[in-house]
Amino acid sequence: MALQACHVARTPAFGGRVATLATRRVATAAGHGTFFVGGNWKANGSTASVNTLVKELNEAGSLPKNVEVVVAPPFIFLDQVQQSLQAPFQLAAQNCWKGKNGAFTGEITAEMLVDKKVPWVILGHSERRALMGDCNEVVAEKVAYALSKGLKVIACIGETLEERETGHIWDVLENQLRHIADAVTDWGSVVVAYEPVWAIGTGKVASPEQAQEVHAFLRKWLREKVGADTAAGVRVIYGGSVTDANAETLAGQEDVDGFLVGGASLKGPSFVTICGAATSVAQPA
């Protein structure tokens, strides 16, 4: 069976830089407006190190009540983590296949995750896009299928340094978000993660102003193309070398609703500190 071919399409560039939104209505429906922190463990860990990390998370003390926290271990450790990680931490998978069970060697399907009671899945991460060929069309198929099976999705988008420096950032982001939006039937089950590729695992981080500018653009696009209620309720989180040292400053930006954390999520105390970054930041009403 041939896989669907991926092709690149450019949409008209967004005109100019986006001004910071003066106000934003935060939805009060269940799950919306709650600060969200995801920990992506990527391809890291051993039985021993995962046990240590889970122990650190369990013993870190209570998390803020207004924060939703999800961790995404490698597939092989999902069972191990599920058996020992305590609430309110939730589990996510790092990827899943775009269709039902079948002859897809090496893949994990949405049905398998649902069967194992894993509620969340990360889709469209830049490493999957760059290294495994998950283009916009494939990501959209994965999002649509995962949602149809009852999973909640962390949908990732982001530009490379070249795309930013050549002025294509808004084209790229709009195209990625449009494909995802076309696949979404329930925005209450979707978190959008903006991850500038040039800031992932490099030690570089977008400035608070750069992060806010992009998040405001994404929310403006959602408001214009999907609807005001959706734009107000969808959580748009930032991912790109987030640490316990910069999280509070980033969390203070109006349209930053949380984080997708990579390396720092492998250090229990640092990750818990990041989870508390929003507690001193007042959400606009």
Side-chain angles (χ1 to χ4, degrees):
M1 185 188 71
L3 293 177
Q4 175 182 330
C6 293
H7 54 83
V8 177
R10 289 243 184 244
T11 56
F14 183 82
R17 292 169 66 85
V18 183
T20 299
L21 298 181
T23 59
R24 175 193 161 209
R25 179 172 63 81
V26 176
T28 56
H32 287 184
T34 304
F35 204 77
F36 185 98
V37 180
N40 181 10
W41 297 2
K42 305 189 180 185
N44 292 295
S46 64
T47 299
S49 68
V50 167
N51 280 337
T52 298
L53 179 52
V54 170
K55 185 174 185 290
E56 289 176 348
L57 295 175
N58 286 339
E59 296 178 353
S62 59
L63 294 172
K65 292 182 179 180
N66 62 334
V67 177
E68 185 171 10
V69 183
V70 175
V71 297
F75 287 122
I76 198 168
F77 297 124
L78 279 171
D79 266 344
Q80 178 184 342
V81 175
Q82 188 176 51
Q83 290 170 14
S84 54
L85 187 64
Q86 300 171 3
F89 292 102
Q90 301 177 66
L91 274 186
Q94 297 179 16
N95 179 52
C96 69
W97 178 238
K98 64 181 183 179
K100 63 183 180 180
N101 295 344
F104 308 107
T105 301
E107 290 291 344
I108 304 293
T109 65
E111 287 90 345
M112 294 175 185
L113 296 177
V114 171
D115 180 62
K116 298 300 290 185
K117 296 181 172 55
V118 176
W120 287 90
V121 62
I122 300 172
L123 295 173
H125 191 280
S126 63
E127 290 155 4
R128 294 284 317 177
R129 291 176 183 264
L131 302 176
M132 285 74 173
D134 284 9
C135 63
N136 289 334
E137 291 83 359
V138 169
V139 172
E141 287 184 88
K142 289 185 174 186
V143 169
Y145 194 78
L147 290 172
S148 76
K149 296 304 172 183
L151 291 174
K152 291 179 280 189
V153 172
I154 302 169
C156 302
I157 62 176
E159 84 284 359
T160 65
L161 184 60
E162 180 182 4
E163 288 163 344
R164 171 175 279 269
E165 291 182 340
T166 56
H168 290 126
I169 174 175
W170 309 119
D171 300 39
V172 170
L173 294 176
E174 183 176 3
N175 199 27
Q176 291 174 341
L177 185 56
R178 176 172 54 80
H179 277 82
I180 291 169
D182 288 345
V184 172
T185 54
D186 176 15
W187 282 98
S189 296
V190 176
V191 170
V192 176
Y194 166 61
E195 42 166 20
V197 180
W198 47 272
I200 298 174
T202 64
K204 297 180 180 179
V205 62
S207 70
E209 294 77 18
Q210 287 173 319
Q212 168 58 25
E213 179 185 41
V214 172
H215 283 230
F217 165 77
L218 298 176
R219 205 176 302 281
K220 181 176 187 292
W221 189 95
L222 287 168
R223 186 172 66 248
E224 293 176 350
K225 305 298 183 182
V226 182
D229 288 343
T230 296
V234 170
R235 289 170 291 183
V236 183
I237 65 175
Y238 172 79
S241 295
V242 178
T243 69
D244 52 358
N246 60 30
E248 186 172 336
T249 302
L250 287 163
Q253 301 306 301
E254 183 175 2
D255 287 285
V256 174
D257 299 322
F259 303 115
L260 183 58
V261 185
S265 70
L266 299 174
K267 305 170 184 175
S270 295
F271 184 65
V272 170
T273 298
I274 292 169
C275 292
T279 55
S280 61
V281 178
Q283 290 279 2

